Amino acid sequence: MLCAARLGALLAVLALWVGDQARAAAREDKFSALTSVARALAPERRLLALLRSYLLGEEARLRDLTRFYDKVLSLHEDSATPVANPLLAFTLIKRLQSDWRNVVHSLEASENIQALKDGYEKVEQELPAFEDLEGAARALMRLQDVYMLNVKGLAQGVFQRVTGSAVTDLYSPRQLFSLTADDCFQVGKVAYDMGDYYHAIPWLEEAVSLFRGSYGEWKTEDEASLEDALDHLAFACFQAGNVSCALSLSREFLLYSPENKRMVRNVLKYERLLAENPHQAVAETVIQRPNVPHLQTRDTYEGLCQTLGSQPIHYQIPGLYCSYETNSSPYLLLQPVRKEVIHLEPYVALYHDFVSDPEAQKIRKLAEPWLQRSVVASGEKQLQVEYRISKSAWLKDTADPVLVTLDHRIAALTGLDVQHPYAEYLQVVNYGIGGHYEPHFDHATSPSSPLYRMKSGNRVATFMIYLSSVEAGGATAFIYANFSVPVVKNAALFWWNLHRSGEGDGDTLHAGCPVLVGDKWVANKWIHEYGQEFRRPCSSNPED
């Protein structure tokens, strides 16, 4: 019996664990790939249908209540002494004893709202989690930083870079979509909760401004209020060293909520601090942007991203050229590829129209069901990190004939062996909201890298195919070489990661700039050293 009880307890724990795993899988983050974000449209459409049914039911209920109201009101208005008529007297007593109770405690309202709640619970597992809201808010801050976007402009749906008095439009949407006060508050609160007052203050300031403009207009969907925004902004200003601003905002808060004892104590505290240090009342506080310890090349990286993709001017560098490329391959003889040499050291080439629209669409479709959060190698581990926001999937060439054709085309163009294990399977990547990949090398820089588990050497070359276009942002920036390449739909970028000596080429440090607007898909084919011995011979010259 004791064993049976233990077994039952073990099975119960296992069932709970499986349930937790299933819920975790269902709650897989959505902000890190736009295709996942797009899937959230389906449950919202179902919620809209449920809300429509609820509204129709409530409209019918309100029409009935209006009928009851009009009937009773007419009885009060039509007769000076309604109780003289025994029939009216009876109906008055009945109304007060029965009718009003039925109206007030009608089940129809609770039934309508219960149907809406039940429908919501059915789709709840498909909805974004709070972590998605946090991730999306951090993405907006990333775009704000990298592209120097103005928060007030973003709140109005405008993508503008503001440097001093100069204003540059980075993207002009066909239809403006503005953020609400509550939207801005939620972005600011995410930064506030992280102790990031550099980002929190401008977003909370915009929230306060918008809440002031609509004060008294309560919206059902809002989570925050003017008081919430003033409260958070006041403390953020205090933490940033602006005591005068904190005092002013706290006093304004007390105009709306004078009974709040905590805020009363804060006001007294701020007044005392200013009395002790009067210069703080006029001192202008400059908040420093939070440092990114792992990114020493941040300024160069962001500067290249801000160009939205720039290439050297060919006539300035005669070694750059365009041509129709066959690489002496019969496979490409009748249909050569348009080649554009982008850079010489490191060697980077762009092959235009490398794939067709149907091929790109097919590859995206094959990958979509298998997309998972992208990871990076950290020692011998694979980790999800904030500096790489995307989802990726690996496709074997046996998944579809289009992948076999793609491998043949890459092999013909590069002259390299791209069959496994001499090359990795095709990695397809979809970038999320503000999706990016900060500066990194494709080749392994440590002997403990997981790349060496393939036992086929380091990544000698990268072949990256753009499977979509974007409207703004998303360029590939080569940091030390100081140039960036915009997203060119259906084109492919090729570069060597290693010198012929086998040493890594430090000039290939590159990054995927944040996607400002659009849905960015790429496919990576990483080719390894082994298998290329006679295709790309070694050399002892470190410059080769």
Side-chain angles (χ1 to χ4, degrees):
M1 290 295 291
L2 183 60
C3 290
R6 287 179 176 173
L7 179 60
L10 181 61
L11 290 173
V13 171
L14 182 60
L16 286 174
W17 182 83
V18 171
D20 288 341
Q21 295 301 305
R23 283 188 288 274
R27 284 289 195 184
E28 184 182 11
D29 69 60
K30 293 176 172 58
F31 75 96
S32 59
L34 277 193
T35 187
S36 299
V37 177
R39 283 200 293 270
L41 289 170
E44 185 169 51
R45 290 192 187 99
R46 296 203 292 276
L47 288 174
L48 278 174
L50 289 166
L51 185 57
R52 177 62 179 162
S53 298
Y54 169 76
L55 289 173
L56 291 173
E58 284 294 281
E59 286 170 359
R61 187 176 71 88
L62 290 175
R63 283 196 299 271
D64 192 50
L65 289 175
T66 302
R67 176 199 54 76
F68 176 77
Y69 170 83
D70 291 341
K71 182 184 77 171
V72 176
L73 181 63
S74 66
L75 292 173
H76 281 259
E77 293 175 343
D78 291 347
S79 177
T81 55
V83 294
N85 185 327
L87 297 177
L88 291 176
F90 169 78
T91 57
L92 172 62
I93 292 172
K94 176 180 175 292
R95 283 199 309 276
L96 295 176
Q97 197 283 325
S98 175
D99 293 3
W100 277 101
R101 183 176 67 249
N102 292 337
V103 167
V104 172
H105 298 288
S106 169
L107 294 178
E108 194 173 335
S110 60
E111 287 171 356
N112 288 342
I113 195 64
Q114 190 60 47
L116 181 61
K117 288 179 178 179
D118 290 345
Y120 176 81
E121 289 173 359
K122 288 179 181 177
V123 301
E124 193 170 7
Q125 287 298 325
E126 302 176 48
L127 304 180
F130 180 71
E131 290 74 17
D132 289 299
L133 177 60
E134 287 185 315
R138 289 195 298 268
L140 289 182
M141 294 178 227
R142 184 184 313 121
L143 295 175
Q144 171 191 347
D145 287 344
V146 173
Y147 296 109
M148 301 176 67
L149 298 176
N150 177 262
V151 170
K152 186 170 287 292
L154 277 176
Q156 296 170 354
V158 177
F159 296 80
Q160 291 179 329
R161 181 192 303 142
V162 178
T163 50
S165 59
V167 178
T168 306
D169 287 329
L170 298 183
Y171 169 72
S172 299
R174 288 183 289 274
Q175 182 178 0
L176 288 181
F177 179 82
S178 57
L179 299 178
T180 66
D182 193 64
D183 293 336
C184 295
F185 174 80
Q186 294 300 335
V187 177
K189 188 175 182 302
V190 168
Y192 176 95
D193 290 341
M194 295 190 299
D196 177 5
Y197 303 112
Y198 174 87
H199 290 105
I201 288 175
W203 284 101
L204 291 173
E205 283 178 339
E206 189 61 24
V208 166
S209 175
L210 293 171
F211 273 128
R212 283 173 181 155
S214 61
Y215 189 75
E217 300 175 12
W218 181 72
K219 295 178 181 177
T220 306
E221 69 271 21
D222 283 356
E223 185 174 323
S225 63
L226 175 58
E227 290 90 327
D228 293 321
L230 287 169
D231 188 2
H232 285 76
L233 181 56
F235 187 73
C237 288
F238 170 69
Q239 289 293 94
N242 195 337
V243 181
S244 178
C245 173
L247 175 60
S248 174
L249 292 165
S250 299
R251 285 172 173 168
E252 182 180 352
F253 177 97
L254 289 175
L255 294 177
Y256 303 104
S257 185
E259 304 301 320
N260 190 298
K261 295 180 180 179
R262 177 178 57 81
M263 194 60 73
V264 169
R265 290 194 298 270
N266 284 351
V267 167
L268 294 175
K269 174 184 175 180
Y270 300 150
E271 288 176 341
R272 186 182 72 253
L273 289 172
L274 288 175
E276 294 171 355
N277 299 283
H279 70 278
Q280 285 190 342
V282 294
E284 184 176 343
T285 305
V286 178
I287 310 172
Q288 295 297 321
R289 176 178 165 188
N291 188 30
V292 184
H294 67 272
L295 189 54
Q296 299 176 351
T297 58
R298 183 175 71 179
D299 291 342
T300 304
Y301 159 58
E302 293 182 353
L304 289 170
C305 289
Q306 287 164 17
T307 64
L308 302 181
S310 65
Q311 299 176 28
I313 300 174
H314 287 181
Y315 66 80
Q316 293 179 343
I317 306 176
L320 303 179
Y321 64 91
C322 296
S323 66
Y324 283 98
E325 182 67 56
T326 64
N327 196 29
S328 303
S329 169
Y331 190 84
L332 299 174
L333 189 60
L334 296 178
Q335 192 175 2
V337 179
R338 291 189 297 141
K339 174 182 178 181
E340 179 182 358
V341 177
I342 301 294
H343 207 265
L344 298 177
E345 294 182 4
Y347 178 84
V348 179
L350 182 69
Y351 298 101
H352 292 266
D353 297 318
F354 181 77
V355 294
S356 64
D357 283 340
E359 286 174 327
Q361 185 177 1
K362 181 68 173 181
I363 294 169
R364 295 197 303 266
K365 186 177 179 180
L366 288 169
E368 188 167 348
W370 306 102
L371 289 174
Q372 294 183 341
R373 178 68 183 269
S374 298
V375 296
V376 299
S378 178
E380 296 184 359
K381 297 181 179 179
Q382 301 279 328
L383 301 176
Q384 294 181 7
V385 290
E386 183 67 18
Y387 58 84
R388 186 183 189 188
I389 300 297
S390 62
K391 285 186 177 179
S392 54
W394 297 88
L395 298 180
K396 294 184 178 181
D397 54 10
T398 54
D400 193 271
V402 72
L403 301 178
V404 176
T405 302
L406 192 68
D407 278 352
H408 288 163
R409 197 177 302 153
I410 295 173
L413 195 57
T414 62
L416 301 174
D417 188 339
V418 300
Q419 296 302 306
H420 190 79
Y422 304 125
E424 297 171 44
Y425 296 124
L426 191 71
Q427 185 197 55
V428 182
V429 184
N430 181 219
Y431 289 83
I433 304 170
H436 71 142
Y437 193 175
E438 287 182 357
H440 63 283
F441 293 106
D442 279 357
H443 62 275
T445 56
S446 167
S448 62
S449 171
L451 287 177
Y452 288 112
R453 292 176 189 165
M454 292 180 65
K455 298 182 180 180
S456 55
N458 208 341
R459 288 172 172 168
V460 69
T462 293
F463 200 92
M464 185 177 74
I465 308 165
Y466 293 120
L467 298 175
S468 68
S469 61
V470 298
E471 295 180 75
T476 303
F478 287 81
I479 311 303
Y480 294 142
N482 199 31
F483 73 98
S484 61
V485 183
V487 175
V488 180
K489 184 182 179 184
N490 296 344
L493 267 184
F494 173 80
W495 66 88
W496 298 105
N497 294 308
L498 307 179
H499 292 294
R500 288 182 182 269
S501 63
E503 294 296 318
D505 186 345
D507 287 336
T508 62
L509 184 73
H510 64 286
C513 294
V515 179
L516 186 57
V517 181
D519 187 7
K520 181 182 175 183
W521 288 79
V522 301
N524 297 306
K525 191 73 173 180
W526 285 301
I527 305 163
H528 284 238
E529 292 176 282
Y530 299 174
Q532 321 305 336
E533 292 85 350
F534 298 103
R535 299 167 186 266
R536 190 185 190 235
C538 297
S539 169
S540 59
N541 186 345
E543 300 300 321
D544 289 345

